[in-house]
Amino acid sequence: MLQVKKDLLAVLAAELDTLSPGAGSRAAFETPKVAAHGDFAVTAAMQLAKPLKANPRALGEQLKAALEASPVFAQWVAAIEIAGPGFLNLRLKPAAKQQVVQEVLAEAERFGMQPQRDEKIIVEFVSANPTGPLHVGHGRQAALGDAICSLYATQGWAVHREFYYNDAGVQIDTLTKSTQLRAKGFKPGDDCWPTDSDNPLAKNFYNGDYIGDIAQAFLAKQTIKADDRAFTANGDVEDYDNIRNFAVAYLRNEQDKDLQAFNLKFDEYYLESSLYQNGHVDETVQRLIASGHTYEQDGALWLRTTDFGDDKDRVMRKSDGTYTYFLPDVAYHTQKFLRGYGKAVNIQGTDHHGTIARVRAGLQAVNVGIPKGYPDYVLHTMVRVVRGGEEVKISKRAGSYVTLRDLIEWTSKDAVRFFLLSRKPDTEYTFDVDLAVAQNNDNPVFYVQYAHARICSVLRGWQEQGGAGLPALSGVDLSALQGPQAQALMQMLAQYPEMLTNAADGNAPHDVTFYLRDLASAYHSYYDAERILVDDEATKLARLALVAAVAQVLRNGLAVLGVSAPERM
């Protein structure tokens, strides 16, 4: 059907060019909002009416007559109807819709994938400082980032997954102080451990049980290996630097375990400290000064970001000589561009909204050719967790929040990924633990996975009856697929590639979850309407080919989300 659509669009474009040179670029099919109106809609006549100073319905009639005379349209289109002020509604012949079944079976896991392009994209996500376990907000970011990477991969991009973190600074000092106190035998609640929220020292301590675990491992002189580092403790409670390096390695290892439980692997861990060690921060300062957009005031170095649309100028270097967070952010994103990533996407919480304008302004001021609007941002809200009808806010291990691993252990990796992707990122989301483990149609991931398992069961039943297996379905006669449920199912299969393209363009993996639920629903309706393993061999093979194609697309879509497609449930 995809080739059929391309052939029809080519004819439509040629006919539009005859109406107005260059109008062929307007050739497009839309999906009617009401299925009864047809399979494709054409709105070009209304778009051309004003520039041609013509009646849109009259243009529609002219276009309709030309298309009906085309051999390609005659082959694949059952009827063209004109509606309203000039809409053309096309109804495809069953044979046109049936083409998609063989396309899916032939392309298998490549169905919906676009050819490789010579372009690179970097997607930065999670990027949690190594000061504690990953919380459910990081989990939403991990699910979003990984799925967005997979979406871009389907469109032919060379995708780089990157985790950026601050391995120095105030938060790491907080971690070190807390670990040192626990290593010395103190714990939360002791006199030296502030608990008064009004006490400014209180924020300099972490209270979670994981701090005690780090301290015990430090005293045991353990060697910790993480994806990006390894370190051995010396057990000396007065060696502040050793405690700091060990604590960072320990928590990086813990975060690795969280990510492994989520089946997520990064291509690179990028350290903030490397920006200083490699001279990128100083180099960025010199570039900004050379651009003429900096000035000195009150002993500080400022960047005139208002020249580039920011609401106020930003301090780069404070009067004490230290840099603000803004500067390494600009240096880091400059390096992304200079590393050859012409497109960049950042997945961050909505609390980072205020940084977007200043970072983009800084990147324009650097003056190295970075395009406006670089990088793209996908901002997400936090996640509430409900269990047993009550909100869960505390994790003993973390001290003050539910961890990603808690959520996975309570439910499953598949449920966490699918649920966290099932809403737009900027939409508030409540994760219902009880729903995530329910084995019923109210559970969206179960509903989709069950459709796949149900098809696998049918295919096994056929093979147990002596069926030849999936290769035998290639090229079978599909003319028996005439019923309304079969037609709707094939129409949905044909929408998959375009859905992927639109989801990638919009950084919208939730569109994939919506599509998969709709496809599963269409399959369940078909299964209830037509028996598949019938006596008539031709009908049976046609129906088996259809459901095998549905299973393939369900697998493909779930793979984009990082969710498994079980064959038995």
Side-chain angles (χ1 to χ4, degrees):
M1 185 177 177
L2 300 183
Q3 187 59 51
V4 169
K5 184 176 181 180
K6 289 179 182 178
D7 292 344
L8 294 176
L9 280 174
V11 173
L12 175 61
E15 295 297 340
L16 290 175
D17 278 333
T18 65
L19 292 175
S20 176
S25 61
R26 299 176 182 266
F29 292 139
E30 299 177 10
T31 301
K33 293 181 180 179
V34 179
H37 290 172
D39 300 306
F40 294 143
V42 178
T43 60
M46 291 181 292
Q47 297 170 15
L48 288 173
K50 187 173 183 179
L52 292 180
K53 298 180 180 179
N55 180 286
R57 190 172 178 93
L59 276 179
E61 293 283 5
Q62 185 179 345
L63 185 58
K64 174 178 178 289
L67 294 176
E68 286 175 333
S70 161
V72 174
F73 270 70
Q75 180 182 5
W76 299 118
V77 178
I80 304 177
E81 301 165 355
I82 190 163
F87 287 102
L88 293 184
N89 291 326
L90 278 60
R91 299 180 188 278
L92 299 177
K93 293 180 179 179
K97 298 180 183 180
Q98 291 159 6
Q99 297 295 312
V100 73
V101 174
Q102 292 300 346
E103 290 170 351
V104 173
L105 295 179
E107 297 178 34
E109 68 274 3
R110 293 291 305 172
F111 180 73
M113 304 278 280
Q114 301 303 314
Q116 287 298 119
R117 58 170 82 186
D118 188 24
E119 292 180 278
K120 299 196 305 180
I121 181 173
I122 183 170
V123 182
E124 178 207 335
F125 58 109
V126 182
S127 295
N129 290 334
T131 54
L134 299 181
H135 54 62
V136 292
H138 294 131
R140 189 173 198 183
Q141 200 170 127
L144 282 167
D146 200 33
I148 286 173
C149 287
S150 296
L151 278 171
Y152 277 106
T154 69
Q155 303 306 297
W157 289 85
V159 181
H160 183 84
R161 291 166 166 82
E162 187 151 290
F163 186 126
Y164 172 82
Y165 67 89
N166 178 358
D167 56 337
V170 174
Q171 289 182 315
I172 302 300
D173 284 339
T174 302
L175 170 68
T176 308
K177 291 173 185 176
S178 303
T179 304
Q180 186 177 44
L181 274 181
R182 292 299 292 263
K184 289 181 176 181
F186 300 106
K187 61 183 185 301
D190 290 346
D191 291 342
C192 66
W193 204 290
T195 57
D196 183 356
S197 60
D198 294 328
N199 184 340
L201 289 177
K203 62 184 179 183
N204 291 331
F205 293 79
Y206 290 121
N207 298 324
D209 283 359
Y210 70 94
I211 298 295
D213 295 337
I214 300 172
Q216 289 179 13
F218 176 80
L219 293 173
K221 301 181 181 181
Q222 289 185 8
T223 296
I224 297 295
K225 294 182 180 179
D227 276 356
D228 68 316
R229 61 179 62 209
F231 194 80
T232 300
N234 63 14
D236 182 356
V237 297
E238 300 300 333
D239 191 336
Y240 191 84
D241 287 342
N242 196 267
I243 296 172
R244 182 184 69 246
N245 288 323
F246 180 79
V248 168
Y250 188 99
L251 286 172
R252 277 293 308 112
N253 174 263
E254 285 293 301
Q255 291 179 352
D256 287 346
K257 292 176 182 177
D258 294 331
L259 298 172
Q260 288 162 11
F262 213 49
N263 196 26
L264 176 55
K265 182 80 172 176
F266 283 90
D267 297 304
E268 185 170 353
Y269 291 87
Y270 200 102
L271 279 62
E272 183 185 3
S273 60
S274 71
L275 294 169
Y276 295 91
Q277 294 165 0
N278 296 332
H280 296 320
V281 169
D282 290 337
E283 184 180 83
T284 300
V285 172
Q286 295 309 311
R287 282 190 171 124
L288 291 171
I289 292 173
S291 74
H293 294 286
T294 63
Y295 60 92
E296 298 267 357
Q297 182 176 304
D298 300 327
L301 180 64
W302 293 69
L303 179 65
R304 195 175 288 106
T305 53
T306 51
D307 291 349
F308 302 95
D310 197 6
D311 59 345
K312 62 181 179 180
D313 295 340
R314 304 292 174 176
V315 176
M316 297 193 307
R317 188 175 60 224
K318 294 183 284 188
S319 57
D320 63 3
T322 60
Y323 293 120
T324 62
Y325 282 116
F326 164 65
L327 189 60
D329 281 348
V330 174
Y332 174 46
H333 287 92
T334 300
Q335 288 306 306
K336 286 183 180 180
F337 182 76
L338 295 178
R339 287 155 64 195
Y341 296 105
K343 186 174 181 63
V345 178
N346 289 2
I347 319 294
Q348 295 178 323
T350 50
D351 57 323
H352 286 80
H353 185 272
T355 68
I356 296 175
R358 73 187 73 164
V359 169
R360 287 176 172 169
L363 294 175
Q364 291 302 297
V366 168
N367 197 27
V368 293
I370 298 175
K372 290 183 178 180
Y374 185 99
D376 293 334
Y377 285 86
V378 176
L379 302 182
H380 67 90
T381 59
M382 297 301 287
V383 179
R384 294 175 64 246
V385 178
V386 172
R387 192 179 192 188
E390 296 184 358
E391 184 173 359
V392 183
K393 294 184 178 180
I394 303 298
S395 164
K396 183 179 180 184
R397 186 163 67 95
S400 60
Y401 55 84
V402 176
T403 69
L404 172 59
R405 224 180 310 166
D406 286 334
L407 212 54
I408 294 171
E409 289 170 359
W410 294 341
T411 58
S412 68
K413 180 266 295 181
D414 285 346
V416 174
R417 277 184 177 261
F418 198 100
F419 273 52
L420 293 180
L421 291 169
S422 62
R423 296 288 186 276
K424 292 179 64 175
D426 59 357
T427 302
E428 295 290 339
Y429 186 65
T430 298
F431 190 105
D432 188 332
V433 172
D434 299 317
L435 178 60
V437 298
Q439 295 190 0
N440 57 44
N441 291 346
D442 293 330
N443 179 347
V445 67
F446 176 86
Y447 187 68
V448 173
Q449 289 179 321
Y450 180 59
H452 181 266
R454 203 176 193 186
I455 295 172
C456 291
S457 177
V458 170
L459 293 172
R460 280 195 306 273
W462 169 53
Q463 290 179 298
E464 289 167 1
Q465 293 175 9
L470 288 179
L473 299 177
S474 179
V476 301
D477 180 7
L478 299 172
S479 59
L481 302 177
Q482 299 282 343
Q485 290 84 5
Q487 297 283 304
L489 202 48
M490 289 183 287
Q491 188 79 349
M492 281 222 65
L493 293 178
Q495 293 170 9
Y496 179 72
E498 186 175 359
M499 180 279 298
L500 283 182
T501 298
N502 292 337
D505 289 345
N507 293 320
H510 57 276
D511 285 349
V512 183
T513 69
F514 297 161
Y515 172 85
L516 290 173
R517 292 173 71 174
D518 289 344
L519 181 59
S521 176
Y523 170 72
H524 290 310
S525 295
Y526 174 70
Y527 183 89
D528 293 340
E530 295 187 356
R531 193 161 65 90
I532 297 169
L533 299 180
V534 294
D535 293 335
D536 182 76
E537 188 69 10
T539 300
K540 176 171 64 177
L541 290 176
R543 292 176 178 177
L544 285 167
L546 173 58
V547 299
V550 173
Q552 183 67 63
V553 173
L554 286 171
R555 278 196 300 277
N556 292 359
L558 287 169
V560 169
L561 304 179
V563 176
S564 69
E567 296 185 1
R568 299 174 186 269
M569 292 180 69

